[in-house]
Amino acid sequence: MHYYILTLGCQMNKADSERIASFLDDNNYIKQDDWPQADLIILTTCGIRQSAEDRVYGLVGRMRKLNPKATIVITGCLAKRKDVQKRLAGKVDLFMPINELPNLLALLHNCRPDNLLSSDELRKISGEKYLTIQPKYESNFSAYVPIGNGCNNFCSYCVVPYARGPEVYRPASDIVSEVKALIKRGYKEIILIAQNVNSYQSKQTNFPKLLSVLASLPGDFWLRFSSSHPKDLSDELIAVLASSDKICHHLHVALQSGDDEILKAMNRKYTAAHFCSLIEQIRQAKPGIIITTDVIVGFPGETKKQFLNTVKLIKEMNFDMAFISIYSPRPGTVSWNMKDNVSREEKKRREKVLLDILAVNSQNINDSYLDKEIIVLAEGINKRGKYYGKTSGFKTIKFIVPTEMRLEDIIGNFVKVKINKIVSNNLEGEFVK
Ligand code: SF4
């Protein structure tokens, strides 16, 4: 049996697909690089925006038409949605919430008995828990390590709590073992992920304590984590963040709006003032840290005046980067029932206003890198022969390397790069011995 996995959306989906791949490999399936020849096609889907959802409808239609014999499985954010199941009925064989992964073979057996392995093999996997499945990491130097799954926050626009269910966390001992094994294998970047890492709890351990234990492990590696909710970003976490250079000089923390009334309607449970004081506290504790954020424009009822509060905050906070999303109503969420009364044109205008501010901020920050030497984790080489990689602050750097150096000595390693050029907001430099 040959399988193909298509992953859409966030880091959590990528980590889930890595676990699906290793689960299938362990059960004698063979990975295929494209779907037309695959017997089993799995789509790890994203439902955060309508456009992501529409992409799945288009893909499934094409896959079913061109590969009618394949078993098609939908997992990820769309797996539990009744309206999606109805729309894709007859085209998709199985809708599988990701925590059902340990039962995948049995589920496949139920939906396509002709397409399955023996009952001995089915018994082999019963009782396993999804996050305990050893993943097949896509990279050999950077790994996502999920510390939990699900969300209890119910932001009014978000489908994740419905799609992934309540928060469930892995035991700290499992996480520490996975990270130790990665360090032993020479991994240089470990990215701890969950929908809300800050609310991690396991017996006596919370997220700051877990992070502190991981940062104290011997080895040459970086630790990142995502996503952080401002309401759970504690003093204890900020102190740990500042305590070790192994914990990267980058924090992504979602603002969503700079207006208190909109934040309330979004059910975000913090105020704009609290958010600003957090950012200042973090910058004081870890000088040079790069902070990035998320903002939604055009939330139902967002007036021009309320939007200007976001503009003001974005200017004042001097973010290095922000992901601006145009509000898109998601079925089943609280805001689905609110009137989506900001026109598409106005949403686009608001998006552009913020992007223009961010471009100037980013340019100013990038200018300060000129002639500096920085450590980069080299990730690859592009078609033009330039290497690229990320800094601890999550900046992408392109750089050139003396021709006598071997690819394998560069990619997947920490290298020193001197920044000598800033090309329309991109940093470029050269390898320093
Ligand atoms: S914290 Fe809010 S935005 Fe993030 S996953 Fe949970 S509900 Fe969605």
Side-chain angles (χ1 to χ4, degrees), residues 277-295:
S277 70
L278 262 181
I279 301 298
E280 271 156 25
Q281 190 186 344
I282 295 161
R283 282 180 171 151
Q284 265 182 22
K286 192 157 173 127
I289 191 168
I290 286 181
I291 299 184
T292 54
T293 194
D294 296 324
V295 174

Side-chain angles (χ1 to χ4, degrees), residues 48 150-161 167 195-196 227-229 231 254 256 266-268 296:
I48 213 91
C151 184
N152 297 342
N153 288 326
F154 289 92
C155 299
S156 64
Y157 51 83
C158 183
V159 289
V160 170
E167 290 169 21
Q195 271 72 38
N196 183 13
S227 297
S228 281
H229 194 301
K231 79 174 168 57
Q256 305 302 18
M266 287 175 165
N267 195 29
R268 292 289 291 174
I296 297 172

Side-chain angles (χ1 to χ4, degrees), residues 20 42 73-76 79 94-101 104 107:
I20 298 169
I42 299 193
V73 177
I74 294 272
T75 187
L94 174 65
F95 293 88
M96 180 193 74
I98 189 64
N99 50 7
E100 296 275 339
L101 175 58
L104 175 59
L107 294 167

Side-chain angles (χ1 to χ4, degrees), residues 257-259 261-262 301-310:
S257 170
D259 181 84
E261 282 171 31
I262 294 295
E302 186 189 60
T303 62
K304 287 189 179 168
K305 202 170 155 213
Q306 288 170 327
F307 171 66
L308 286 176
N309 286 332
T310 302

